[in-house]
Amino acid sequence: MATPEQRVALVTGAARGIGAAVARRLASDGAALGVLDLEESTCASTVDAITSAGGKAIALGADVSNGEQITAAVDRLAKEFGSVDILVNNAGVTRDNLLFKMTEQDWDTVVAVHLKGAFLASKAVQKYMVERKYGKIVSMSSVSALGNRGQANYSAVKAGLQGFTRTLAIELGPFGINVNAVAPGFIATDMTDDTARRVGVTPEELQKQAASITPVRRVGQPEDIANTIAFLTSDESSFITGQIIYVDGGRKLT
Ligand code: NAP
């Protein structure tokens, strides 16, 4: 069980990348963590990092686009630690291609993981949050929401998550639940490394190129996003809801 004052957080897609950094940060700020990813076994390194630093965490295997699996994972977390107070909708995939080459499967996969996944996870946690009149939901949007060549599917879901966020903020605000989104720019993870390989450059070359068109002249790190989510899920941001916070080194402005 979590201690009486301890918050319980669920981070999806937390085996690696941004999700792993967010899970570690929320744990170091005192939360008990549900570390969720497609395969329970892949969550081990994030769980170990948290528990070896003295925190509490359990691994949860679920596909966020599967209603039964995500509901079972949320219920298991609530049973283990007593509640679910924080949800970070982070799980994500890319299936980039120009429109004429993008398959129906590319479209459906991206819509299912990002949009349906955020819907199902938010629906599963809200019952615990409404009951306790407390909750924080943060979803991962992207600068790609503003349009990005080769990402018709991804930019559509990242823009969709912004509308989803504003609507949940209206519906859940009266129950003490804050709902916000973070829209990262280029963050160095396996996802951006895969993009580099797909376009035929090294990850370092792609990062250098991204940094050169970013006003602060660097790419982001997973911790840049974790810092922002730590604030948005803390009680210091309780008057902030329905917002999309761009964490992109100024990239949106260029
Ligand atoms: P990442 O390194 O590829 O990690 C994504 C994680 O999500 C992986 O562990 C993956 O598991 C998991 N996942 C995928 N499908 C899932 C599903 N159906 N159910 C549960 N987990 C699933 O990506 P990242 O760069 O950290 O990105 C995290 C989030 O930030 C994503 O929503 C992404 O769109 C967003 N974002 C990233 C950037 C960036 O520059 N990196 C920029 C803007 C927004 P597997 O390993 O098993 O596939």
Side-chain angles (χ1 to χ4, degrees):
M1 286 288 280
T3 54
E5 292 308 312
Q6 190 170 34
R7 301 292 184 203
V8 180
L10 174 63
V11 182
T12 70
R16 58 194 171 102
I18 295 171
V22 171
R24 290 193 305 266
R25 172 60 194 267
L26 297 186
S28 79
D29 286 354
L33 257 294
V35 175
L36 185 145
D37 214 288
L38 272 172
E39 298 294 333
E40 190 173 320
S41 59
T42 63
C43 300
S45 66
T46 309
V47 169
D48 289 350
I50 292 170
T51 53
S52 61
K56 284 200 188 87
I58 58 166
L60 299 164
D63 178 345
V64 292
S65 66
N66 180 308
E68 275 176 27
Q69 288 182 23
I70 189 71
T71 304
V74 167
D75 291 346
R76 196 180 138 207
L77 179 64
K79 200 165 170 214
E80 186 81 22
F81 291 141
S83 68
V84 183
D85 306 299
I86 296 167
L87 167 67
V88 181
N89 285 313
N90 168 81
V93 292
T94 51
R95 294 290 184 272
D96 297 354
N97 234 325
L98 293 174
L99 180 63
F100 77 103
K101 284 196 270 188
M102 187 174 286
T103 65
E104 198 173 335
Q105 186 62 51
D106 292 336
W107 179 270
D108 287 345
T109 300
V110 170
V111 171
V113 176
H114 294 268
L115 265 187
K116 189 177 174 192
F119 159 67
L120 290 172
S122 302
K123 193 169 172 190
V125 299
Q126 61 81 33
K127 112 174 165 202
Y128 294 99
M129 294 177 174
V130 167
E131 201 176 286
R132 287 161 57 95
K133 293 233 173 340
Y134 181 92
K136 309 277 181 189
I137 298 175
V138 180
S139 296
M140 206 66 73
S141 180
S142 167
V143 287
S144 295
L146 305 168
N148 196 26
R149 191 171 189 273
Q151 289 198 312
N153 49 2
Y154 187 81
S155 63
V157 298
K158 292 307 194 186
L161 281 169
Q162 299 193 3
F164 178 71
T165 294
R166 285 190 280 264
T167 298
L168 291 201
I170 294 166
E171 291 186 13
L172 299 177
F175 299 98
I177 301 168
N178 299 71
V179 188
N180 292 290
V182 170
F186 189 114
I187 309 296
T189 67
D190 292 345
M191 185 178 272
T192 45
D193 288 358
D194 289 346
T195 304
R197 282 184 278 273
R198 207 166 36 247
V199 300
V201 297
T202 66
E204 294 70 29
E205 283 166 341
L206 190 66
Q207 287 176 26
K208 209 170 153 200
Q209 188 199 332
S212 73
I213 52 169
T214 300
V216 302
R217 292 293 186 268
R218 70 169 176 92
V219 297
Q221 298 299 325
E223 289 70 26
D224 290 309
I225 306 304
N227 292 341
T228 310
I229 291 181
F231 172 64
L232 288 175
T233 56
S234 75
D235 291 334
E236 294 189 336
S237 62
S238 58
F239 205 51
I240 301 175
T241 198
Q243 299 305 304
I244 317 301
I245 315 287
Y246 281 80
V247 183
D248 65 349
R251 180 72 180 270
K252 178 160 95 68
L253 307 170
T254 61

